[in-house]
Amino acid sequence: MPEGELKNISLSLLSQEVEERGKVVQVERGILALNQRWAEENRARFRAAGVRVINVLSSPGAGKTTLLARTLKELPLRAGVVVGDLATQNDAERLREAGVPVVQIETGGICHLEAAMVAKALDLLDLEALDLLFIENVGNLVCPAAYDLGEEARAVVFSITEGEDKPLKYPTMFKTAQVVLLNKVDLAEAVGFDRQAALENVRRVNPKAQVLEVSARTGQGMDAWYAFLQGR
Ligand code: MG
Ligand code: ZN
């Protein structure tokens, strides 16, 4: 194929891509504006019921469910959970063992929770009977950052097995967190974890976030997390 022709093809593909991206951006803006309205409605419901709400975020497998299962057992507050997953009810079933109300949202492939989904879940809960509501988001450090659910605070769980540079790779998520839980610290030695580097990376992205070093599995450091939950 002559050189000029090849060039033309790539240019036309590029312009088409730009045009389509423009459309995607517009649709996204519309979705986020709508989400914000639902989020404010949720926030008003939480306030009226006197329930504090924590949006819990992480990559898949960082330990959100284990963290919440222990928290629900040990924290002397009336708590409930809304848990989002792409598919299955496994996490909800694990959390229900703590004897608290749990609503599972199966997103059917959507990789984040939206405020409207949470609003539907709230219809199935007696908010007045709760002091605290955890929203366990879908395991994903990218788009959940853009969706306000009406929460009071965001907790990002960052497992030490994920590598010290996670905050630098997903700055948007880490920037919006009030608390960062460095989880699985009991495995630090086994995986050669560089604690100093990880703490520095969190601070570089979000100097205001409270950083808690915990092991949800062994219970190490969990008291500081409970203090955070009770102190807000
Ligand atoms: Mg989970
Ligand atoms: Zn998503």
Side-chain angles (χ1 to χ4, degrees):
M1 212 182 275
E3 239 178 52
E5 223 176 298
L6 251 182
K7 248 184 195 165
N8 269 339
I9 288 166
S10 66
L11 277 175
S12 80
L13 279 179
L14 188 65
S15 68
Q16 198 182 329
E17 201 179 89
V18 168
E19 198 187 315
E20 295 211 331
R21 273 204 201 145
K23 276 182 212 155
V24 170
V25 168
Q26 272 186 353
V27 171
E28 256 172 24
R29 277 203 194 122
I31 288 172
L32 287 177
L34 187 62
N35 183 76
Q36 202 54 46
R37 289 214 290 273
W38 279 102
E40 295 312 333
E41 230 168 88
N42 289 348
R43 196 167 278 119
R45 283 171 83 175
F46 297 145
R47 224 175 272 144
V51 59
R52 288 167 304 132
V53 181
I54 314 288
N55 189 357
V56 183
L57 307 126
S58 80
S59 0
K64 292 186 299 301
T65 310
T66 305
L67 177 89
L68 291 181
R70 182 179 281 276
T71 302
L72 295 170
K73 274 186 202 135
E74 297 183 343
L75 191 71
L77 289 177
R78 301 174 304 164
V81 189
V82 171
V83 53
D85 275 297
L86 298 170
T88 81
Q89 304 248 347
N90 296 349
D91 285 1
E93 255 137 54
R94 261 181 82 194
L95 294 168
R96 239 177 237 137
E97 286 169 19
V100 304
V102 180
V103 179
Q104 173 91 52
I105 300 173
E106 278 184 67
T107 64
I110 296 174
C111 51
H112 55 266
L113 285 180
E114 295 179 8
M117 300 176 189
V118 172
K120 276 209 171 147
L122 296 183
D123 294 338
L124 304 174
L125 283 170
D126 179 7
L127 283 183
E128 305 276 344
L130 301 179
D131 303 312
L132 195 59
L133 178 69
F134 295 103
I135 302 175
E136 183 187 328
N137 217 308
V138 178
N140 175 358
L141 283 178
V142 188
C143 41
Y147 289 85
D148 183 0
L149 304 177
E151 71 270 13
E152 177 180 316
R154 286 185 174 188
V156 172
V157 183
F158 162 29
S159 158
I160 65 153
T161 57
E162 296 177 75
E164 297 85 359
D165 60 350
K166 209 88 204 222
L168 305 181
K169 286 184 178 165
Y170 301 93
T172 309
M173 178 59 83
F174 280 85
K175 252 180 224 161
T176 64
Q178 276 71 41
V179 58
V180 173
L181 291 124
L182 217 51
N183 190 26
K184 307 191 190 180
V185 291
D186 54 312
L187 302 177
E189 218 171 295
V191 299
F193 176 63
D194 185 344
R195 174 178 177 269
Q196 220 42 51
L199 293 175
E200 262 171 49
N201 288 339
V202 175
R203 265 186 232 119
R204 196 183 302 173
V205 172
N206 184 345
K208 283 194 213 143
Q210 202 176 326
V211 183
L212 307 176
E213 296 170 65
V214 305
S215 167
R217 195 178 62 85
T218 68
Q220 187 184 334
M222 291 290 281
D223 285 346
W225 165 237
Y226 302 150
F228 170 83
L229 293 172
Q230 288 173 303
R232 293 192 64 91

